[in-house]
């Protein structure tokens, strides 16, 4: 049941310069509940003119925002964090309604997203400069830090709250202002966050949310407008590459969090129960629609049968359904198109020799909706199956047997992506070797959950540039200025 205790959080208009705005054309677009296909909102459908106004507002607001003390910015971010946590249940309901994930996961995402706001409210006060030893005695070298300026943020539908919070919080902490465009599938969470930011006292123009399904047009303005000094994008590698080209015209700074293809490696000395628990958490969170989801399971041949048996036993507890219902573990996928993509990848794997070792049964209504995919375990997957090279983005675990460490490292690195990876082993020497040789930005060692606000989240190769979270990521929102003084 959808019952908000604070109805003002359910906003359908865009947020520009502290005001809630309809589109100039009065046009709206539809947001649907992926579990039922029902229309849940009609949201303002913005274009170039409104996006330009948002950017201009952010540029004006940035001057005063940067002049606030770090402590003032810190307090405002902290108030925002407190409000987000106070409204966690309402925000989770809005998130589930538009995205489909189970309510418990949605509550977790709100807390996870809020943790970035809390973290950067603290980091705001710790943006230090440097004094560097000069080459001659009559000199002094200082390094001071300035905010980059207006930031554009573009975020995907799989974590509608957290992906946005991970960008807005460090930007504001550094003294930047922001124009954010959430995915058209999930604009309501972003707008609800903006309601609370306004309530927290964050000044007009510091956060602007532009909504609309014409992402190419809005994106062209965000990347082409010279007032925008930086783009932070989370989404697919294909769109990321296009945005790099668009930002090249005026050499905008860019942070990119792109696609992944995480290997999950289980060695023959692993604690199998722990490995299965990690596999379940990594694979089935958000119905397999995360960039750090285990995409390929490499399991040592000596324990392959045991691991498969335990994995099936764990999967037998999974329940699929509407995320709003109690005790649901796996919700719908975001769209029928996403379901069809998963089907095609599974068909390809089966053609190349894979078998379905276990599949959760869907009920007839779920099947007819076309929005659910049954959690499935594929065994005997060939290493040249398409799903070893593409993100599955669905609740399908694909198992591949391996024999040697060198073989599995070669297979794991055989991808254009380099985001997350996981390994289960008790051998310290092997852990050191994997840490040195796996081509990724993040490695979970005997754990399937790696993301938190204190750690640098991000990838290498075609998985992106820069990091989000941790003390490292604030640098993405800062320009260094070196002062050379002579006395
Ligand atoms: P997507 O198609 O690239 O969309 C992401 C965002 O970009 C959406 O807001 C989308 O808007 C917008 N967009 C699409 N085309 C655009 C264009 N030409 N110009 C400007 N903006 C444009 O990705 P997705 O399928 O929604 O999201 C899943 C992808 O995100 C996966 O590859 C996943 O791995 C990746 N991801 C990465 C991370 C990470 O931290 N590395 C985290 C989460 C997700 P519309 O939806 O309104 O078109």
């Amino acid at each position: 049941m959808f019952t908000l205790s604070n109805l003002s959080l359910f906003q359908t208009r865009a947020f520009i310069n502290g005001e809630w705005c309809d589109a100039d054309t009065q046009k709206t677009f539809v947001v649907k509940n992926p579990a039922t296909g029902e229309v849940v909102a009609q949201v303002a459908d913005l274009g170039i003119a409104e996006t330009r106004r948002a950017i201009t507002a952010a540029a004006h607001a940035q001057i005063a925002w940067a002049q606030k003390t770090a402590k003032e910015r810190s307090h405002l971010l902290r108030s925002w964090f407190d409000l987000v946590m106070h409204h966690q249940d309402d925000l989770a309901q809005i998130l589930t309604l538009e995205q489909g994930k189970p309510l418990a996961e949605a509550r977790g995402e709100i807390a996870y997203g809020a943790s970035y706001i809390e973290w950067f409210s603290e980091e705001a006060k710790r943006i230090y400069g440097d004094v560097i030893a000069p080459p001659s005695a009559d000199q002094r070298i200082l390094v001071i830090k300035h905010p980059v300026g207006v930031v554009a943020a573009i975020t995907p539908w799989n974590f509608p709250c957290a992906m946005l919070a991970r960008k807005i919080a460090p930007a504001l902490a550094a003294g930047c202002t922001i124009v954010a465009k959430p995915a058209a599938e999930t604009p309501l969470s972003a707008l609800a966050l903006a309601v609370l930011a306004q309530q927290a006292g964050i000044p007009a123009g510091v956060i602007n949310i532009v909504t609309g399904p014409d992402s190419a047009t809005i994106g062209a303005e965000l990347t082409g407008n010279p007032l925008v000094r930086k783009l932070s994008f989370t989404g697919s590698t294909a769109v990321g590459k296009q945005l790099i080209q668009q930002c090249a015209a005026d050499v905008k700074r860019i942070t990119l969090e792109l696609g992944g293809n995480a290997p999950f490696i289980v060695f023959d000395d692993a604690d199998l129960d722990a490995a299965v628990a990690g596999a379940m958490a990594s694979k089935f969170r958000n119905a397999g629609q995360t960039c750090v989801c285990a995409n390929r399971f490499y399991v040592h041949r000596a324990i392959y049968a045991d691991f498969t048996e335990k994995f099936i036993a764990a999967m037998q507890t999974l329940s699929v359904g509407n995320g709003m219902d109690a005790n649901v573990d796996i919700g719908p996928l975001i769209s029928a198109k996403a379901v069809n993509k998963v089907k095609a990848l599974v068909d390809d794997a089966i053609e190349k020799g894979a078998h379905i070792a276990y599949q959760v049964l869907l009920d007839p209504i779920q099947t007819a909706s076309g929005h659910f995919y049954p959690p499935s375990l594929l065994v005997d997957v060939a290493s040249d199956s398409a799903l070893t090279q593409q993100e599955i983005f669905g609740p399908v675990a694909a198992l591949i047997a391996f024999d040697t460490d060198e073989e599995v490292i070669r297979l794991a690195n055989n991808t254009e992506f380099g985001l997350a990876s996981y390994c289960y082993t008790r051998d310290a020497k092997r852990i050191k070797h994997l840490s040195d040789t796996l081509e990724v930005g993040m490695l979970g060692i005997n754990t399937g959950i790696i993301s938190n606000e204190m750690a640098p989240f991000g990838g290498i190769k075609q998985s992106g540039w820069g990091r989000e979270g941790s003390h490292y990521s604030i640098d993405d929102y800062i320009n260094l200025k070196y002062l050379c003084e002579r006395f």
Side-chain angles (χ1 to χ4, degrees):
M1 264 270 279
F2 184 71
T3 46
L4 295 186
S5 54
N6 182 344
L7 285 174
S8 76
L9 292 176
F10 198 85
Q11 271 295 342
T12 57
R13 290 183 294 171
F15 187 61
I16 298 176
N17 204 19
E19 291 182 358
W20 297 96
C21 324
D22 292 318
D24 290 355
T25 57
Q26 302 298 312
K27 275 200 311 188
T28 58
F29 67 99
V30 158
V31 176
K32 289 185 179 170
N33 179 342
T36 60
E38 286 163 1
V39 173
V40 295
Q42 300 272 355
V43 176
D45 178 351
L46 270 47
I48 291 184
E50 302 93 324
T51 307
R52 197 168 289 165
R53 279 206 295 282
I55 294 169
T56 306
H60 283 138
Q62 202 264 325
I63 298 163
W65 182 248
Q67 282 169 353
K68 283 194 183 298
T69 63
K71 195 167 177 171
E72 286 170 317
R73 289 198 297 270
S74 168
H75 281 171
L76 288 166
L77 282 167
R78 176 75 209 192
S79 303
W80 188 26
F81 161 77
D82 289 338
L83 284 169
V84 170
M85 287 312 293
H86 182 73
H87 294 281
Q88 184 182 14
D89 286 339
D90 278 358
L91 294 170
Q93 285 193 59
I94 292 172
L95 205 164
T96 293
L97 192 71
E98 64 178 351
Q99 203 278 339
K101 67 179 63 178
L103 211 44
E105 272 192 44
R107 289 185 93 255
E109 180 182 338
I110 301 302
Y112 169 63
S115 73
Y116 286 88
I117 304 175
E118 181 187 41
W119 172 264
F120 286 106
S121 75
E122 293 154 359
E123 285 299 289
K125 293 181 281 186
R126 301 196 176 93
I127 302 172
Y128 303 128
D130 265 319
V131 182
I132 296 176
S136 67
D138 62 347
Q139 275 186 323
R140 188 164 63 171
I141 293 176
L142 304 175
V143 178
I144 60 172
K145 295 186 174 178
H146 292 286
V148 165
V150 176
V151 173
I154 301 178
T155 50
W157 48 263
N158 60 348
F159 288 88
C161 164
M163 295 303 101
L164 204 57
R166 280 204 324 204
K167 299 182 189 311
I168 298 180
L172 266 56
C176 300
T177 53
I178 200 155
V179 180
K181 192 213 83 72
E185 294 87 344
T186 56
L188 302 174
S189 295
L191 296 169
L193 283 178
V195 171
L196 296 174
Q198 189 175 36
Q199 216 172 304
I202 293 175
V206 171
I207 297 174
N208 305 273
I209 310 285
V210 291
T211 49
D214 188 354
S215 48
T217 298
I218 295 174
E221 183 61 25
L222 291 176
T223 52
N225 191 316
L227 289 175
V228 175
R229 297 292 165 79
K230 176 192 167 76
L231 171 72
S232 181
F233 171 72
T234 299
S236 62
T237 297
V239 173
K241 285 179 184 176
Q242 195 182 322
L243 295 173
I244 293 172
Q245 288 182 348
Q246 291 174 209
C247 286
D250 55 3
V251 197
K252 285 194 203 323
R253 288 181 62 173
I254 317 182
T255 298
L256 297 170
E257 296 286 356
L258 306 177
N261 181 8
F264 189 108
I265 311 171
V266 187
F267 290 90
D268 53 359
D269 66 337
D271 173 339
L272 279 198
D273 292 327
V276 168
M280 291 294 291
S282 168
K283 180 70 246 180
F284 293 112
R285 193 160 63 106
N286 202 12
Q289 304 170 111
T290 89
C291 55
V292 293
C293 265
N295 206 53
R296 307 165 280 158
F297 287 87
Y298 294 111
V299 182
H300 193 275
R301 202 174 301 279
I303 46 131
Y304 191 86
D306 286 351
F307 180 82
T308 305
E309 195 182 308
K310 284 175 184 280
F311 205 163
I312 291 173
M315 282 180 70
Q316 282 166 345
T317 65
L318 289 176
S319 120
V320 178
N322 184 333
M324 285 291 184
D325 295 339
N327 304 321
V328 164
D329 304 302
I330 309 263
L333 299 196
I334 191 68
S335 63
K337 192 172 156 211
V339 172
N340 289 334
K341 188 195 149 202
V342 177
K343 271 186 190 153
L345 286 173
V346 170
D347 288 349
D348 168 79
I350 289 172
E351 256 170 49
K352 292 185 173 131
H355 302 102
I356 296 179
Y358 181 72
Q359 195 162 54
V360 176
L361 284 180
L362 298 184
D363 69 29
I365 296 171
Q366 290 164 351
T367 307
S369 80
H371 280 217
F372 288 85
Y373 193 87
S376 309
L377 179 64
L378 290 181
V379 293
D380 304 330
V381 175
S383 327
D384 63 344
S385 306
L387 54 68
T388 67
Q389 290 303 315
Q390 293 176 34
E391 290 183 293
I392 302 172
F393 247 59
V396 175
L399 266 55
I400 300 169
F402 74 91
D403 293 296
T404 69
D405 288 25
E406 291 320 311
E407 176 197 7
V408 79
I409 290 169
R410 183 177 48 74
L411 287 169
N413 287 340
N414 181 26
T415 167
E416 69 205 20
F417 296 109
L419 192 60
S421 59
Y422 307 87
C423 66
Y424 276 77
T425 175
R426 292 173 162 119
D427 183 332
K429 215 166 163 185
R430 178 181 275 151
I431 290 172
K432 161 94 171 65
H433 187 54
L434 292 166
S435 308
D436 290 341
T437 52
L438 287 175
E439 297 169 354
V440 287
M442 298 173 282
L443 171 59
I445 301 163
N446 296 319
T447 177
I449 298 289
I450 52 176
S451 185
N452 59 67
E453 76 280 16
M454 294 151 199
F457 188 104
I460 61 170
K461 295 162 82 176
Q462 293 191 29
S463 289
W465 292 340
R467 294 293 180 267
E468 291 193 323
S470 83
H471 72 90
Y472 298 103
S473 71
I474 200 111
D475 290 341
D476 282 348
Y477 296 89
I478 277 169
N479 286 329
L480 295 184
K481 190 180 283 168
Y482 141 56
L483 311 178
C484 184
E485 293 181 318
R486 181 148 240 147
F487 302 100

mmCIF file of all heavy atoms in Angstrom, residues 223-252:
data_model
loop_
_atom_site.group_PDB
_atom_site.id
_atom_site.type_symbol
_atom_site.label_atom_id
_atom_site.label_comp_id
_atom_site.label_asym_id
_atom_site.label_seq_id
_atom_site.Cartn_x
_atom_site.Cartn_y
_atom_site.Cartn_z
ATOM 1 N N THR A 223 25.855 19.666 -21.673
ATOM 2 C CA THR A 223 27.257 19.501 -22.083
ATOM 3 C C THR A 223 27.734 20.653 -22.956
ATOM 4 O O THR A 223 28.931 20.918 -23.032
ATOM 5 C CB THR A 223 27.446 18.174 -22.859
ATOM 6 O OG1 THR A 223 26.477 18.129 -23.925
ATOM 7 C CG2 THR A 223 27.267 16.969 -21.963
ATOM 8 N N GLY A 224 26.791 21.342 -23.619
ATOM 9 C CA GLY A 224 27.199 22.397 -24.556
ATOM 10 C C GLY A 224 27.252 23.782 -23.933
ATOM 11 O O GLY A 224 27.924 24.680 -24.450
ATOM 12 N N ASN A 225 26.563 23.989 -22.814
ATOM 13 C CA ASN A 225 26.498 25.323 -22.219
ATOM 14 C C ASN A 225 27.823 25.645 -21.511
ATOM 15 O O ASN A 225 28.236 24.910 -20.605
ATOM 16 C CB ASN A 225 25.335 25.357 -21.218
ATOM 17 C CG ASN A 225 25.030 26.762 -20.756
ATOM 18 O OD1 ASN A 225 25.937 27.532 -20.442
ATOM 19 N ND2 ASN A 225 23.755 27.099 -20.709
ATOM 20 N N PRO A 226 28.479 26.755 -21.913
ATOM 21 C CA PRO A 226 29.801 27.042 -21.326
ATOM 22 C C PRO A 226 29.761 27.388 -19.836
ATOM 23 O O PRO A 226 30.796 27.352 -19.168
ATOM 24 C CB PRO A 226 30.306 28.232 -22.153
ATOM 25 C CG PRO A 226 29.105 28.790 -22.825
ATOM 26 C CD PRO A 226 28.093 27.699 -22.952
ATOM 27 N N LEU A 227 28.570 27.707 -19.301
ATOM 28 C CA LEU A 227 28.497 27.999 -17.856
ATOM 29 C C LEU A 227 28.692 26.725 -17.030
ATOM 30 O O LEU A 227 29.053 26.785 -15.856
ATOM 31 C CB LEU A 227 27.135 28.612 -17.502
ATOM 32 C CG LEU A 227 26.869 30.034 -17.990
ATOM 33 C CD1 LEU A 227 25.431 30.439 -17.666
ATOM 34 C CD2 LEU A 227 27.855 31.014 -17.367
ATOM 35 N N VAL A 228 28.445 25.563 -17.654
ATOM 36 C CA VAL A 228 28.658 24.293 -16.944
ATOM 37 C C VAL A 228 30.134 23.939 -17.057
ATOM 38 O O VAL A 228 30.689 23.864 -18.145
ATOM 39 C CB VAL A 228 27.793 23.163 -17.554
ATOM 40 C CG1 VAL A 228 28.111 21.823 -16.894
ATOM 41 C CG2 VAL A 228 26.312 23.482 -17.405
ATOM 42 N N ARG A 229 30.778 23.728 -15.925
ATOM 43 C CA ARG A 229 32.229 23.489 -15.924
ATOM 44 C C ARG A 229 32.584 22.017 -15.766
ATOM 45 O O ARG A 229 33.743 21.646 -15.932
ATOM 46 C CB ARG A 229 32.889 24.279 -14.793
ATOM 47 C CG ARG A 229 32.749 25.773 -14.942
ATOM 48 C CD ARG A 229 33.562 26.264 -16.143
ATOM 49 N NE ARG A 229 33.196 27.612 -16.530
ATOM 50 C CZ ARG A 229 33.623 28.704 -15.905
ATOM 51 N NH1 ARG A 229 34.430 28.600 -14.892
ATOM 52 N NH2 ARG A 229 33.236 29.897 -16.315
ATOM 53 N N LYS A 230 31.588 21.219 -15.381
ATOM 54 C CA LYS A 230 31.902 19.810 -15.163
ATOM 55 C C LYS A 230 30.650 18.972 -15.356
ATOM 56 O O LYS A 230 29.547 19.410 -15.005
ATOM 57 C CB LYS A 230 32.410 19.618 -13.729
ATOM 58 C CG LYS A 230 32.672 18.163 -13.395
ATOM 59 C CD LYS A 230 32.886 17.947 -11.922
ATOM 60 C CE LYS A 230 32.823 16.464 -11.629
ATOM 61 N NZ LYS A 230 34.004 15.736 -12.024
ATOM 62 N N LEU A 231 30.871 17.762 -15.908
ATOM 63 C CA LEU A 231 29.776 16.799 -16.013
ATOM 64 C C LEU A 231 30.104 15.597 -15.146
ATOM 65 O O LEU A 231 31.226 15.074 -15.215
ATOM 66 C CB LEU A 231 29.608 16.332 -17.465
ATOM 67 C CG LEU A 231 28.637 15.162 -17.644
ATOM 68 C CD1 LEU A 231 27.192 15.614 -17.433
ATOM 69 C CD2 LEU A 231 28.785 14.531 -19.031
ATOM 70 N N SER A 232 29.138 15.153 -14.351
ATOM 71 C CA SER A 232 29.281 13.888 -13.642
ATOM 72 C C SER A 232 28.164 12.986 -14.138
ATOM 73 O O SER A 232 26.984 13.298 -13.969
ATOM 74 C CB SER A 232 29.181 14.114 -12.134
ATOM 75 O OG SER A 232 29.354 12.867 -11.502
ATOM 76 N N PHE A 233 28.546 11.875 -14.753
ATOM 77 C CA PHE A 233 27.564 10.999 -15.401
ATOM 78 C C PHE A 233 27.656 9.597 -14.830
ATOM 79 O O PHE A 233 28.754 9.048 -14.693
ATOM 80 C CB PHE A 233 27.831 10.953 -16.910
ATOM 81 C CG PHE A 233 27.011 9.919 -17.645
ATOM 82 C CD1 PHE A 233 25.648 10.095 -17.838
ATOM 83 C CD2 PHE A 233 27.592 8.753 -18.145
ATOM 84 C CE1 PHE A 233 24.878 9.140 -18.499
ATOM 85 C CE2 PHE A 233 26.839 7.798 -18.817
ATOM 86 C CZ PHE A 233 25.472 7.995 -18.992
ATOM 87 N N THR A 234 26.524 9.002 -14.519
ATOM 88 C CA THR A 234 26.458 7.568 -14.222
ATOM 89 C C THR A 234 25.474 6.952 -15.196
ATOM 90 O O THR A 234 24.331 7.413 -15.304
ATOM 91 C CB THR A 234 25.991 7.307 -12.776
ATOM 92 O OG1 THR A 234 26.930 7.895 -11.890
ATOM 93 C CG2 THR A 234 25.926 5.817 -12.489
ATOM 94 N N GLY A 235 25.934 5.926 -15.895
ATOM 95 C CA GLY A 235 25.059 5.274 -16.866
ATOM 96 C C GLY A 235 25.860 4.325 -17.730
ATOM 97 O O GLY A 235 26.933 3.843 -17.325
ATOM 98 N N SER A 236 25.366 4.074 -18.914
ATOM 99 C CA SER A 236 26.002 3.084 -19.781
ATOM 100 C C SER A 236 27.274 3.646 -20.412
ATOM 101 O O SER A 236 27.426 4.858 -20.596
ATOM 102 C CB SER A 236 25.025 2.670 -20.876
ATOM 103 O OG SER A 236 24.699 3.802 -21.661
ATOM 104 N N THR A 237 28.160 2.738 -20.776
ATOM 105 C CA THR A 237 29.418 3.147 -21.411
ATOM 106 C C THR A 237 29.133 3.809 -22.759
ATOM 107 O O THR A 237 29.795 4.793 -23.125
ATOM 108 C CB THR A 237 30.341 1.918 -21.559
ATOM 109 O OG1 THR A 237 30.652 1.456 -20.239
ATOM 110 C CG2 THR A 237 31.638 2.265 -22.272
ATOM 111 N N ALA A 238 28.131 3.304 -23.484
ATOM 112 C CA ALA A 238 27.835 3.875 -24.806
ATOM 113 C C ALA A 238 27.467 5.352 -24.688
ATOM 114 O O ALA A 238 27.998 6.205 -25.418
ATOM 115 C CB ALA A 238 26.699 3.095 -25.465
ATOM 116 N N VAL A 239 26.569 5.676 -23.751
ATOM 117 C CA VAL A 239 26.171 7.086 -23.584
ATOM 118 C C VAL A 239 27.344 7.887 -23.012
ATOM 119 O O VAL A 239 27.587 9.029 -23.417
ATOM 120 C CB VAL A 239 24.909 7.198 -22.697
ATOM 121 C CG1 VAL A 239 24.587 8.642 -22.374
ATOM 122 C CG2 VAL A 239 23.722 6.544 -23.391
ATOM 123 N N GLY A 240 28.108 7.279 -22.117
ATOM 124 C CA GLY A 240 29.281 7.961 -21.550
ATOM 125 C C GLY A 240 30.246 8.409 -22.641
ATOM 126 O O GLY A 240 30.750 9.540 -22.629
ATOM 127 N N LYS A 241 30.474 7.539 -23.616
ATOM 128 C CA LYS A 241 31.406 7.887 -24.705
ATOM 129 C C LYS A 241 30.890 9.075 -25.506
ATOM 130 O O LYS A 241 31.646 9.962 -25.900
ATOM 131 C CB LYS A 241 31.583 6.683 -25.644
ATOM 132 C CG LYS A 241 32.448 5.591 -25.064
ATOM 133 C CD LYS A 241 32.543 4.447 -26.056
ATOM 134 C CE LYS A 241 33.322 3.289 -25.455
ATOM 135 N NZ LYS A 241 33.365 2.113 -26.318
ATOM 136 N N GLN A 242 29.571 9.064 -25.723
ATOM 137 C CA GLN A 242 28.968 10.168 -26.475
ATOM 138 C C GLN A 242 29.111 11.488 -25.698
ATOM 139 O O GLN A 242 29.420 12.529 -26.270
ATOM 140 C CB GLN A 242 27.497 9.824 -26.659
ATOM 141 C CG GLN A 242 26.781 10.634 -27.681
ATOM 142 C CD GLN A 242 25.312 10.213 -27.705
ATOM 143 O OE1 GLN A 242 24.980 9.030 -27.569
ATOM 144 N NE2 GLN A 242 24.432 11.177 -27.868
ATOM 145 N N LEU A 243 28.921 11.418 -24.393
ATOM 146 C CA LEU A 243 28.998 12.636 -23.579
ATOM 147 C C LEU A 243 30.437 13.164 -23.509
ATOM 148 O O LEU A 243 30.656 14.374 -23.437
ATOM 149 C CB LEU A 243 28.428 12.377 -22.179
ATOM 150 C CG LEU A 243 26.922 12.056 -22.164
ATOM 151 C CD1 LEU A 243 26.457 11.645 -20.768
ATOM 152 C CD2 LEU A 243 26.091 13.247 -22.656
ATOM 153 N N ILE A 244 31.409 12.245 -23.544
ATOM 154 C CA ILE A 244 32.818 12.699 -23.577
ATOM 155 C C ILE A 244 33.022 13.572 -24.808
ATOM 156 O O ILE A 244 33.625 14.652 -24.744
ATOM 157 C CB ILE A 244 33.800 11.507 -23.642
ATOM 158 C CG1 ILE A 244 33.759 10.689 -22.356
ATOM 159 C CG2 ILE A 244 35.229 11.983 -23.912
ATOM 160 C CD1 ILE A 244 34.556 9.386 -22.424
ATOM 161 N N GLN A 245 32.509 13.099 -25.939
ATOM 162 C CA GLN A 245 32.672 13.872 -27.184
ATOM 163 C C GLN A 245 31.996 15.226 -27.067
ATOM 164 O O GLN A 245 32.543 16.238 -27.477
ATOM 165 C CB GLN A 245 32.083 13.103 -28.358
ATOM 166 C CG GLN A 245 32.934 11.907 -28.732
ATOM 167 C CD GLN A 245 32.398 11.161 -29.936
ATOM 168 O OE1 GLN A 245 31.281 11.394 -30.378
ATOM 169 N NE2 GLN A 245 33.189 10.258 -30.459
ATOM 170 N N GLN A 246 30.794 15.233 -26.486
ATOM 171 C CA GLN A 246 30.068 16.506 -26.372
ATOM 172 C C GLN A 246 30.802 17.480 -25.434
ATOM 173 O O GLN A 246 30.778 18.678 -25.636
ATOM 174 C CB GLN A 246 28.645 16.256 -25.862
ATOM 175 C CG GLN A 246 27.789 15.538 -26.897
ATOM 176 C CD GLN A 246 26.408 15.141 -26.398
ATOM 177 O OE1 GLN A 246 25.860 14.161 -26.861
ATOM 178 N NE2 GLN A 246 25.835 15.869 -25.465
ATOM 179 N N CYS A 247 31.460 16.940 -24.409
ATOM 180 C CA CYS A 247 32.169 17.808 -23.451
ATOM 181 C C CYS A 247 33.513 18.282 -24.002
ATOM 182 O O CYS A 247 34.115 19.205 -23.443
ATOM 183 C CB CYS A 247 32.407 17.067 -22.140
ATOM 184 S SG CYS A 247 30.901 16.891 -21.167
ATOM 185 N N ALA A 248 33.968 17.640 -25.070
ATOM 186 C CA ALA A 248 35.285 18.001 -25.614
ATOM 187 C C ALA A 248 35.289 19.424 -26.156
ATOM 188 O O ALA A 248 36.316 20.117 -26.099
ATOM 189 C CB ALA A 248 35.684 17.012 -26.706
ATOM 190 N N ALA A 249 34.133 19.895 -26.652
ATOM 191 C CA ALA A 249 34.087 21.197 -27.330
ATOM 192 C C ALA A 249 34.641 22.304 -26.444
ATOM 193 O O ALA A 249 35.400 23.153 -26.905
ATOM 194 C CB ALA A 249 32.654 21.502 -27.746
ATOM 195 N N ASP A 250 34.275 22.316 -25.143
ATOM 196 C CA ASP A 250 34.884 23.340 -24.279
ATOM 197 C C ASP A 250 35.639 22.708 -23.107
ATOM 198 O O ASP A 250 35.777 23.308 -22.045
ATOM 199 C CB ASP A 250 33.867 24.402 -23.827
ATOM 200 C CG ASP A 250 32.650 23.804 -23.143
ATOM 201 O OD1 ASP A 250 32.623 22.572 -22.963
ATOM 202 O OD2 ASP A 250 31.748 24.572 -22.774
ATOM 203 N N VAL A 251 36.153 21.514 -23.346
ATOM 204 C CA VAL A 251 37.081 20.850 -22.410
ATOM 205 C C VAL A 251 36.527 20.844 -20.973
ATOM 206 O O VAL A 251 37.206 21.225 -20.022
ATOM 207 C CB VAL A 251 38.497 21.485 -22.463
ATOM 208 C CG1 VAL A 251 39.537 20.565 -21.829
ATOM 209 C CG2 VAL A 251 38.900 21.791 -23.870
ATOM 210 N N LYS A 252 35.298 20.390 -20.841
ATOM 211 C CA LYS A 252 34.711 20.290 -19.497
ATOM 212 C C LYS A 252 35.355 19.143 -18.738
ATOM 213 O O LYS A 252 35.723 18.135 -19.333
ATOM 214 C CB LYS A 252 33.213 19.965 -19.601
ATOM 215 C CG LYS A 252 32.350 21.119 -20.011
ATOM 216 C CD LYS A 252 30.894 20.773 -19.755
ATOM 217 C CE LYS A 252 29.930 21.579 -20.596
ATOM 218 N NZ LYS A 252 30.237 22.947 -20.862
#
